Amino acid sequence: MENILVIGGGLMGSSVAWKLADRGAKVTLFEQQGENYFKGSSFGTARISRSLGPKKDVFSHLHNKTVKEVAKLVDFLNEENTEQIHSMEDIYTNYPVTYLYHKKQRAAIDKLRFKKQKKFFNSASSHSAFRKFGMTLPDDTIVVRETKQYSGTLNPTELLQKLRTGIEKKNGTLKYGHQVVGLVKKDDFFEVSILNTNTNKIRKLKATKVIVAAGAYTVNILKAFAPYLNKIITPKRVPISFLKIADERYAQLTKIEKKTLYDSFPFFSRIGKEYFAMISKPAEDGSPIIKVGGHQIRRNIHDLERVWDEEPLKKELKWMKKQFRKHLKMLEIHLSKKEIETVTSYNCVYSETRKKTPIVTPIFNKHGILENGLYVVGGMSGIGAKGCLGYGVLASDLALGKENKPSKMYRKLIKTLANPAVNLHTKRIKPGRLF
Ligand SMILES: Cc1cc2nc3c(=O)[nH]c(=O)nc-3n(C[C@H](O)[C@H](O)[C@H](O)COP(=O)(O)OP(=O)(O)OC[C@H]3O[C@@H](n4cnc5c(N)ncnc54)[C@H](O)[C@@H]3O)c2cc1C
């Protein structure tokens, strides 16, 4: 049986490797970090998990698919190991998800209000927002709230752990501390050079199929094979802060204020710089820890290695605190600057495509020839986690072939996530797009 190599052990690589192993393939996953995962987009304990979208939206579909796939993984782990009980609640925490729109975006909101979605969807203008959600809104904004099972937050660390266990139980191999330092195409195979970061030795492996899911490092790994990719995928730095209301002030909040506070996270403002906030750690006695950030305050990166140790800029920290205070003001919870504490702040990294849409696709080599044995799962930006197993299923289908006849939605998915420069139908590069 051929050995399929997966490069990168974040949510994407682990999802692909799990689906490959689940379908009986022989799979080896290489991850440059040790078992303790901390330098990657998938680091942390909370991501917004949400499914609201227009009719036949591929990203809603990917979220829903992921929920189903997580349930299958949980069932499998429970069948395999009766000592630990696995549950969906280890990964998903149900909260209503609140979206803020400018009234100019009404057309986008109207697209969300279709029959199948109506029961999860509620909206309010500045007139009704306080009555409905305890929020005081500026006149020009509209609030939308999604209430659905498994919408709220998902915990990437827990999901990673379960995926890893699943891969090993299905006889897949996980190699931590193994960094891929070269990938070249020889006659009919790929030669992959792997550095063991403990021994400093490099070993060369042959593989007929390779899946690159290395997050922000993807372009670097493929630079000899497909140097043009740096025009399509760009690593970005995204600062985040973990904030809390000072314990003393939190203790003064009434029961109803605390409930309004909890109900208002996750919060996703689609106005301006797209501020997001979610509960990272619920309070046991004191105030909950809230993770905040903004997708439009992302920046380019000179040195991917150094960025993890660099502090976010002062103006970025200030902006995040200001948005937090503004959000709480909408809940009629008024805080002075001193009453907001920063628990920690750091830079995260993700990669973004030119079209801002993730890619799951075979790619062209530098001579313009489509390589069917080499697939990229990348450019996940700030939306990857909630759909990770959807992308994983798709990548495993690309590598192993799809079992069933593709549905309309599946074909839409393939088309949306195809390399923007690849016409999968004619298998040609669209002129002028790549070079
Ligand atoms: C601030 C922030 C907020 C986000 N918010 C949300 C959200 O609310 N909802 C949501 O759905 N998504 C969100 N996301 C997106 C989501 O977290 C990512 O899309 C997802 O984690 C990407 O996973 P990945 O596997 O592609 O990348 P990574 O997790 O970065 O995994 C890539 C892995 O490849 C490894 N690697 C790299 N190079 C090599 C090499 N040469 N050899 C071996 N291994 C290598 C790396 O060490 C890393 O572990 C957010 C992301 C960020 C950064």
Side-chain angles (χ1 to χ4, degrees):
M1 200 196 305
E2 64 181 347
N3 192 5
I4 305 182
L5 305 189
V6 177
I7 307 172
L11 278 177
M12 297 308 144
S14 305
S15 293
V16 182
W18 155 247
K19 283 318 297 175
L20 289 169
D22 188 35
R23 286 178 63 183
K26 188 164 175 264
V27 58
T28 307
L29 182 151
F30 293 99
E31 168 54 54
Q32 66 183 2
Q33 302 180 66
E35 233 174 291
N36 189 5
Y37 182 96
F38 63 98
K39 275 187 181 174
S41 302
S42 312
F43 174 63
T45 55
R47 295 289 184 281
I48 303 183
S49 155
R50 57 188 177 88
S51 75
L52 218 57
K55 212 171 183 177
K56 307 237 180 293
D57 176 45
V58 292
F59 298 104
S60 308
H61 171 82
L62 284 160
H63 162 87
N64 296 333
K65 178 84 182 162
T66 298
V67 170
K68 284 189 193 150
E69 288 291 331
V70 172
K72 283 196 221 166
L73 171 65
V74 164
D75 285 348
F76 167 73
L77 296 178
N78 281 332
E79 279 161 25
E80 284 292 301
N81 178 2
T82 45
E83 278 161 35
Q84 186 192 344
I85 298 169
H86 297 267
S87 82
M88 294 293 275
E89 284 66 35
D90 299 341
I91 293 160
Y92 291 101
T93 308
N94 275 339
Y95 294 114
V97 183
T98 303
Y99 305 76
L100 200 69
Y101 288 88
H102 191 275
K103 67 178 183 193
K104 282 189 204 149
Q105 295 166 300
R106 185 175 283 283
I109 302 171
D110 288 342
K111 284 195 182 152
L112 302 173
R113 214 188 305 256
F114 58 90
K115 203 173 162 194
K116 235 176 150 184
Q117 195 160 258
K118 250 183 173 168
K119 59 181 170 200
F120 313 120
F121 174 96
N122 202 347
S123 69
S125 64
S126 58
H127 301 293
S128 54
F130 192 73
R131 181 172 39 82
K132 283 188 169 178
F133 307 130
M135 290 181 80
T136 304
L137 296 186
D139 282 346
D140 57 358
T141 52
I142 299 172
V143 67
V144 169
R145 189 163 275 186
E146 170 187 3
T147 312
K148 191 181 174 191
Q149 194 180 22
Y150 307 127
S151 284
T153 57
L154 82 86
N155 183 328
T157 301
E158 279 289 335
L159 182 51
L160 260 187
Q161 200 45 53
K162 291 196 196 304
L163 289 166
R164 288 172 169 187
T165 311
I167 295 165
E168 285 187 317
K169 294 234 178 259
K170 288 271 184 182
N171 302 319
T173 308
L174 298 173
K175 293 277 191 191
Y176 303 110
H178 282 70
Q179 184 182 36
V180 171
V181 288
L183 189 150
V184 283
K185 180 77 198 275
K186 298 277 163 127
D187 300 332
D188 55 354
F189 63 90
F190 295 96
E191 187 181 81
V192 185
S193 306
I194 298 154
L195 169 75
N196 180 327
T197 55
N198 296 318
T199 61
N200 251 348
K201 286 197 176 135
I202 293 182
R203 167 167 86 110
K204 290 189 171 156
L205 284 183
K206 286 181 184 174
T208 47
K209 286 180 183 162
V210 178
I211 293 163
V212 185
Y217 300 83
T218 294
V219 170
N220 202 22
I221 290 174
L222 289 165
K223 65 176 184 249
F225 179 85
Y228 63 84
L229 262 190
N230 68 359
K231 294 184 188 163
I232 295 176
I233 306 180
T234 314
K236 297 278 175 185
R237 172 180 75 81
V238 197
I240 53 171
S241 267
F242 292 79
L243 305 177
K244 63 179 271 198
I245 303 174
D247 283 335
E248 217 170 89
R249 177 71 179 91
Y250 182 76
Q252 290 167 0
L253 298 183
T254 62
K255 228 174 170 186
I256 196 158
E257 281 171 333
K258 283 181 184 163
K259 180 170 178 343
T260 309
L261 181 77
Y262 266 87
D263 283 352
S264 83
F265 295 111
F267 177 72
F268 184 31
S269 168
R270 310 207 79 149
I271 302 172
K273 291 183 176 162
E274 299 207 339
Y275 167 77
F276 60 81
M278 69 200 83
I279 293 177
S280 162
K281 196 165 175 263
E284 274 151 29
D285 302 321
S287 171
I289 296 173
I290 317 287
K291 173 184 159 186
V292 305
H295 288 301
Q296 311 284 336
I297 58 167
R298 59 182 176 253
R299 310 291 303 178
N300 288 320
I301 303 170
H302 281 302
D303 185 341
L304 253 180
E305 284 314 311
R306 276 188 52 189
V307 73
W308 303 101
D309 305 318
E310 284 169 3
E311 288 277 310
L313 302 177
K314 271 203 177 110
K315 66 174 181 187
E316 293 164 345
L317 299 173
K318 209 170 149 192
W319 181 83
M320 290 187 276
K321 255 191 175 173
K322 190 173 161 195
Q323 300 306 312
F324 181 74
R325 202 160 156 228
K326 206 165 130 188
H327 174 205
L328 266 64
K329 198 171 147 193
M330 286 181 212
L331 309 176
E332 296 299 350
I333 298 174
H334 300 269
L335 303 173
S336 69
K337 283 184 188 162
K338 275 193 185 150
E339 287 168 339
I340 302 170
E341 290 176 1
T342 305
V343 180
T344 183
S345 303
Y346 54 82
N347 288 312
C348 276
V349 161
Y350 59 47
S351 64
E352 183 186 70
T353 65
R354 210 156 59 174
K355 262 190 12 183
K356 315 259 185 282
T357 312
I359 56 175
V360 180
T361 179
I363 60 163
F364 288 92
N365 66 17
K366 61 183 168 194
H367 307 296
I369 298 165
L370 187 74
E371 282 296 350
N372 259 320
L374 182 64
Y375 309 96
V376 174
V377 182
M380 293 293 154
S381 65
I383 54 170
K386 68 190 170 84
C388 62
L389 271 151
Y391 301 105
V393 168
L394 195 57
S396 76
D397 286 348
L398 291 175
L400 300 177
K402 182 158 168 59
E403 285 162 350
N404 307 319
K405 212 175 146 224
S407 64
K408 240 182 177 176
M409 177 48 104
Y410 190 86
R411 290 203 300 271
K412 186 174 177 189
L413 205 61
I414 294 263
K415 209 171 152 192
T416 310
L417 304 178
N419 180 339
V422 175
N423 181 332
L424 278 184
H425 185 60
T426 60
K427 302 204 166 163
R428 291 226 172 99
I429 300 175
K430 288 185 189 161
R433 301 279 311 259
L434 281 186
F435 304 104

